[in-house]
Amino acid sequence: MTAIDVPLTTSRRDFGPARDSTTHVSQCTLCEAHCGLHVTVSGGQVTRIEGNPDDVLSHGYICPKATAMGGLHHDPDRVRTPLRRVGDRYEPISWDDAFAEIGERLRAVRAKTGSRSLGMYLGNPAAHSSGAAYGFLLRLALRTPNFFTASSIDQMPHEFAAWKVFGSNALIPVTDIDRTQRLMILGANPAVSNGSLSIMPGAKRRIRAVRERGGTVVVVDPRRTETARLADQHVAVQPGGDLFLLLGMLHVLVTEKLCDTSAVAAQTTGFADLSDLVADATPEAMAPRAGVDPETIRSLAREHAAAESAAIYARIGICQQPTGTLVSWLVMVLNTVTGNLDRAGGTMFTTPVVDIPRLAKHLPFRPGRYTDRSGRYGSFRSELPAVVMADEILTPGPGRIRAMITYAGNPVSSIPQRGRLDDALADLDLYVAVDMYVTETTRHADYILPPVSPLEREDVSLLTPVFQVRNTVRYQHRSFDPPPDSLEDWEILTRLALELMPRPLRSLPRPLRSRLVSAIDPLRVAALAVVTGPHGRLRKGRKGITMRDIRASSGGVDLGPLRPRLREVIATPDRRVHLAPGDFVAAARAHLRDADRTASDGYDLQLIGRRQLKSNNSWLHNVPSMTGGSNRCTVLMHPDDAEARGLADGDTVRVTSVVGHIEVPLDVTRDIRAGTVAVPHGWGHRDTGWRHARTLSGANVNALHDPALVDTFTGTAAVNGTWVSVTAAG
Ligand SMILES: Nc1nc2c(c(=O)[nH]1)N[C@H]1C(S)=C(S)[C@@H](COP(=O)(O)OP(=O)(O)OC[C@H]3O[C@@H](n4cnc5c(=O)[nH]c(N)nc54)[C@H](O)[C@@H]3O)O[C@H]1N2
Ligand SMILES: Nc1nc2c(c(=O)[nH]1)N[C@H]1C(S)=C(S)[C@@H](COP(=O)(O)OP(=O)(O)OC[C@H]3O[C@@H](n4cnc5c(=O)[nH]c(N)nc54)[C@H](O)[C@@H]3O)O[C@H]1N2
Ligand code: SF4
Ligand SMILES: [Mo]
């Protein structure tokens, strides 16, 4: 399919009435860090974006991506009015007509083939505004099991492990980086990503501070990353070797009696089963499978136990593995048995303005309630893994998805799907995209419903504070007034949900409908949540806060460091930390028994991912200042591997796996472990409405990953460790 032309309905001068030469207190919503910003607008243009020095969490830090907030706002390719497909083109349509037409078609599909033929995918940026909650509202209105999110190529393993160990998927402990004396980072590169699920804007400064106060930092990663460069020690684990590394460390802790017995007795159950599991997992036995020598395994264990405080922080490198849930579990276990759960400098639960950790046990959450049609995948968090989405659309039979909504997601780029999702979306009876770009995914949409730009949004993030390394909350003021007749995500999603309601509700007269929608305005809902939450005026009297305080602050409100609260929040029925859930122990035993899948059929290198400082998953490459230089889609390879294949730096090479191949330039570097290669995701934009991005070289690395290869417990795509071969392109 050729690139689709989008009519540009506004020129650069039409971005709504600007508040000239004013500096607005805002936040960057590109990643979880949500760094505080000062956005200066002059003559209708963003003229400056700086870190807000008063910000209570980011303290003035911003990464090079922050200026893209301006680039996105002014991007002439950003879709600014609702669009309807007519043949191979899009034409503008009014909001009312769009909702009416979409509503009619959604209801027709539902009437003909049932709710199961409706599907929805919710992507990553949903979590960076209040929109996410309204995405879940729409999901409820759809009443379909076919709900997918980017979480199933991301953090589901942490959530599943947290559910088993602490009783709720929301209870993922946060790394207390600002007070720890020993930080071990496993499969994360916060110097680039600024932390995820332990949200730490300015991570580099925070990591350096650990060492400045006499602590140590260890990075376990097959690549010598930007974070590894800041550390005292880099352990170049083999991709997928973490399970064995951690089992070996636990063996040392148990056999050398280095566990904190009082913490184990006070907080946990299952220690005997755990000890039994690791009895034979000696460092010598684990070393070849971890790719780490026995002495290193031993010293990592001893030093973790000996430190005044210590935290293992693990993230996406270990999630996107067949062993994702198991490794996540063992990280929680190691932190707990060394006495580092729920203590300063270890891992702790936050106390955010909306006390999700405390409410977690009451949240509706029924794992395994239903499966995909093949029966392979059980639901978790009331959703199915995204790797199965293409099958649910393409495989004939009852319950096949015929109408799909995507919200803030680009699954064609972000999910391993063998190109089938691309075909599948084109095959639907109806596809509606809530998005501001014509992407690899949304180019198939019958309707594109664009929200305002992030700089036109007024918002308070209530989700990200659940995982921040300090309790804070901040306000995002508008830098631009939204153009007339524009809608925010939450309004679009609510209007779509209304279309699925019984007739009296959906055919309310306009004024009544507007009143109904504005009654659930996120700022109103948030104001109520803040005042009734643990820091709120209603709970704490005059010392408590209200939304007005947050709004009036120059850089958010600081609510103090993390504090011990395990007893308050633990959600297991016996209120203890479960160290040895039966199915985890059984699965770990099976891994200890069985041989690893090794190089075969000429696929002799393991492919891992990498994030880049100026990329943001798939959708920042249309901002010219974010591309060029080192921000290119290349494959990293060790010099020994390059030499063995007769390849040289800069060559265009073909990377081939069982399911596909791509061609990219070769980047030879000693920073990567021999036997491993790395390619970033989110590239290859040829058939999109991104007129700059589509001129760039690069390819979609997910073309190489097999959708059938997943984390056993959650179906999370296991993209780290794919076996590939690399040859000269020819
Ligand atoms: N600049 C930038 N920042 C981002 C993003 C972005 O795209 N760009 N994306 C945001 C999002 S959505 C997320 S989820 C976070 C993710 O944040 P991080 O988890 O910090 O993400 P990565 O930088 O991909 O780090 C994963 C690391 O795991 C390593 N790894 C791969 N396989 C293995 C393995 O088997 N074992 C071990 N121990 N390590 C392994 C990789 O080499 C890599 O360094 O970042 C967020 N921040
Ligand atoms: N191979 C491989 N694949 C990966 C990863 C990896 O490490 N390796 N990482 C995975 C991870 S951690 C993640 S989170 C996923 C991300 O996967 P996705 O969430 O599917 O994709 P994104 O690239 O984040 O695309 C976001 C889309 O949202 C749109 N958008 C941006 N802001 C807004 C907004 O405010 N409102 C609306 N309505 N739309 C908006 C953008 O235009 C874009 O189309 O990718 C995953 N895919
Ligand atoms: S780390 Fe960068 S992209 Fe993430 S919020 Fe901060 S400035 Fe934005
Ligand atoms: Mo992510």
Side-chain angles (χ1 to χ4, degrees):
M1 190 164 175
T2 51
I4 286 171
D5 288 325
V6 183
L8 300 177
T9 50
T10 49
S11 75
R12 275 181 178 265
R13 255 164 275 284
D14 297 336
F15 301 112
R19 300 159 181 184
D20 273 349
S21 286
T22 344
T23 296
H24 305 275
V25 176
S26 185
Q27 64 179 348
C28 176
T29 52
L30 294 176
C31 83
E32 282 163 68
H34 281 199
C35 298
L37 298 183
H38 279 166
V39 178
T40 305
V41 175
S42 178
Q45 296 281 318
V46 175
T47 50
R48 212 176 167 78
I49 290 188
E50 291 169 302
N52 176 358
D54 294 340
D55 189 276
V56 288
L57 188 65
S58 56
H59 307 293
Y61 169 83
I62 49 171
C63 85
K65 289 198 294 301
T67 60
M69 289 287 280
L72 291 169
H73 181 79
H74 294 302
D75 187 346
D77 293 340
R78 183 164 60 82
V79 179
R80 290 172 169 82
T81 59
L83 299 176
R84 170 173 57 188
R85 172 185 291 279
V86 182
D88 254 5
R89 281 189 60 80
Y90 283 112
E91 63 177 28
I93 179 175
S94 73
W95 287 108
D96 280 349
D97 287 350
F99 289 122
E101 288 183 17
I102 293 166
E104 203 165 303
R105 291 175 68 178
L106 282 173
R107 293 191 300 271
V109 171
R110 189 171 63 182
K112 194 169 153 207
T113 41
S115 290
R116 189 155 195 151
S117 31
L118 306 178
M120 180 172 173
Y121 174 86
L122 183 145
N124 170 272
H128 300 166
S129 80
S130 296
Y134 300 77
F136 284 96
L137 183 80
L138 175 57
R139 182 255 182 284
L140 287 179
L142 287 166
R143 286 188 280 123
T144 175
N146 284 314
F147 179 65
F148 312 91
T149 73
S151 299
S152 56
I153 186 162
D154 191 339
Q155 84 282 2
M156 279 304 199
H158 292 312
E159 293 198 33
F160 197 95
W163 168 59
K164 286 283 188 169
V165 174
F166 302 114
S168 163
N169 63 318
L171 292 177
I172 302 167
V174 169
T175 304
D176 190 13
I177 186 171
D178 293 342
R179 289 181 291 182
T180 195
Q181 285 303 103
R182 182 172 174 85
L183 177 62
M184 177 165 161
I185 299 176
L186 201 71
N189 189 9
V192 166
S193 66
N194 282 294
S196 171
L197 292 183
S198 282
I199 298 173
M200 45 178 101
K204 276 184 158 179
R205 196 164 55 202
R206 295 185 133 103
I207 292 168
R208 282 198 195 100
V210 177
R211 298 184 64 190
E212 280 159 13
R213 61 178 174 264
T216 47
V217 179
V218 183
V219 172
V220 179
D221 197 302
R223 180 163 77 87
R224 186 164 170 269
T225 59
E226 296 77 354
T227 307
R229 284 171 213 275
L230 303 174
D232 298 271
Q233 187 183 359
H234 170 221
V235 179
V237 69
Q238 168 160 348
D242 307 84
L243 177 70
F244 305 103
L245 170 69
L246 298 185
L247 287 169
M249 284 175 69
L250 273 166
H251 171 91
V252 176
L253 293 174
V254 170
T255 55
E256 296 187 7
K257 302 209 177 333
L258 299 176
C259 293
D260 182 332
T261 45
S262 56
V264 168
Q267 295 174 333
T268 75
T269 96
F271 187 72
D273 291 342
L274 184 76
S275 307
D276 198 36
L277 167 70
V278 299
D280 297 327
T282 60
E284 281 68 23
M286 296 301 99
R289 301 183 72 182
V292 177
D293 65 83
E295 266 329 295
T296 303
I297 298 179
R298 219 165 248 123
S299 69
L300 287 174
R302 289 174 185 156
E303 283 165 36
H304 201 77
E308 197 181 311
S309 62
I312 305 183
Y313 167 57
R315 198 51 190 96
I316 201 147
I318 62 100
C319 286
Q320 297 166 333
Q321 298 277 358
T323 53
T325 298
L326 294 179
V327 174
S328 193
W329 156 57
L330 292 178
V331 167
M332 292 168 187
V333 164
L334 265 152
N335 284 327
T336 305
V337 300
T338 52
N340 285 300
L341 175 68
D342 206 35
R343 86 166 180 202
T347 59
M348 308 182 87
F349 300 104
T350 55
T351 315
V353 275
V354 178
D355 199 353
I356 304 282
R358 193 178 182 134
L359 296 171
K361 51 174 146 314
H362 306 295
L363 296 176
F365 168 71
R366 280 172 288 167
R369 203 153 49 96
Y370 55 87
T371 67
D372 69 320
R373 287 182 299 157
S374 78
R376 177 174 177 193
Y377 297 109
S379 64
F380 179 66
R381 214 181 67 177
S382 291
E383 63 184 86
L384 289 171
V387 286
V388 87
M389 193 156 66
D391 287 339
E392 292 300 320
I393 299 174
L394 286 172
T395 311
R400 175 181 181 185
I401 299 176
R402 298 315 305 150
M404 189 79 204
I405 299 174
T406 63
Y407 160 40
N410 189 5
V412 170
S413 172
S414 53
I415 308 290
Q417 38 93 18
R418 293 186 131 176
R420 297 181 74 234
L421 193 55
D422 208 20
D423 300 337
L425 292 171
D427 177 68
L428 288 165
D429 294 341
L430 172 68
Y431 167 28
V432 179
V434 183
D435 206 295
M436 56 255 257
Y437 282 114
V438 179
T439 69
E440 293 82 351
T441 302
T442 64
R443 72 193 182 102
H444 294 296
D446 297 299
Y447 298 86
I448 300 183
L449 307 179
V452 298
S453 100
L455 290 181
E456 290 162 348
R457 232 166 25 206
E458 186 169 352
D459 207 356
V460 178
S461 317
L462 297 180
L463 187 59
T464 42
V466 177
F467 297 108
Q468 285 172 352
V469 297
R470 190 175 170 93
N471 296 310
T472 70
V473 58
R474 84 163 62 67
Y475 205 88
Q476 175 181 347
H477 293 268
R478 286 197 173 98
S479 305
F480 293 90
D481 288 327
D485 202 30
S486 59
L487 295 180
E488 295 191 21
D489 278 317
W490 71 271
E491 295 169 292
I492 301 171
L493 297 160
T494 307
R495 290 285 301 271
L496 287 172
L498 267 180
E499 290 297 330
L500 290 157
M501 299 290 164
R503 186 190 294 276
L505 262 178
R506 67 171 189 263
S507 7
L508 283 177
R510 229 175 203 249
L512 258 181
R513 191 187 62 210
S514 307
R515 280 197 17 217
L516 185 74
V517 173
S518 65
I520 56 164
D521 180 317
L523 288 172
R524 280 188 187 198
V525 176
L528 186 66
V530 167
V531 83
T532 55
H535 306 279
R537 182 70 51 93
L538 281 183
R539 293 270 280 278
K540 296 184 81 176
R542 291 242 305 283
K543 282 204 281 183
I545 57 166
T546 64
M547 187 69 124
R548 194 173 297 186
D549 301 321
I550 305 174
R551 194 171 196 279
S553 66
S554 62
V557 178
D558 181 35
L559 302 166
L562 307 183
R563 61 172 175 83
R565 63 180 321 217
L566 178 68
R567 298 289 309 155
E568 261 173 81
V569 299
I570 184 114
T572 48
D574 58 2
R575 310 197 57 213
R576 298 183 80 79
V577 178
H578 290 197
L579 294 177
D583 41 359
F584 288 1
V585 171
R589 276 194 202 287
H591 279 283
L592 285 171
R593 207 174 44 231
D594 301 340
D596 297 328
R597 213 190 120 206
T598 48
S600 63
D601 304 330
Y603 300 110
D604 51 359
L605 295 163
Q606 277 184 293
L607 171 66
I608 60 168
R610 80 178 189 271
R611 279 180 161 67
Q612 297 162 302
L613 202 51
K614 288 187 176 179
S615 285
N616 195 35
N617 297 321
S618 74
W619 66 283
L620 224 49
H621 299 140
N622 205 47
V623 179
S625 60
M626 293 296 117
T627 57
S630 63
N631 196 21
R632 292 187 311 137
C633 181
T634 62
V635 54
L636 304 186
M637 184 185 268
H638 191 273
D640 294 351
D641 290 328
E643 200 189 322
R645 287 162 184 75
L647 300 171
D649 194 62
D651 285 357
T652 300
V653 294
R654 172 174 280 225
V655 186
T656 309
S657 74
V658 183
V659 302
H661 61 84
I662 59 170
E663 292 192 357
V664 285
L666 181 69
D667 205 338
V668 177
T669 169
R670 287 196 180 276
D671 285 341
I672 191 134
R673 186 188 157 96
T676 305
V677 289
V679 178
H681 70 284
W683 288 88
H685 305 295
R686 267 176 297 279
D687 297 326
T688 65
W690 278 317
R691 284 176 296 177
H692 173 67
R694 73 189 182 204
T695 64
L696 305 171
S697 63
N700 180 357
V701 73
N702 277 316
L704 298 173
H705 299 303
D706 186 348
L709 205 62
V710 295
D711 167 47
T712 327
F713 287 92
T714 62
T716 301
V719 299
N720 277 325
T722 297
W723 286 100
V724 296
S725 68
V726 178
T727 51

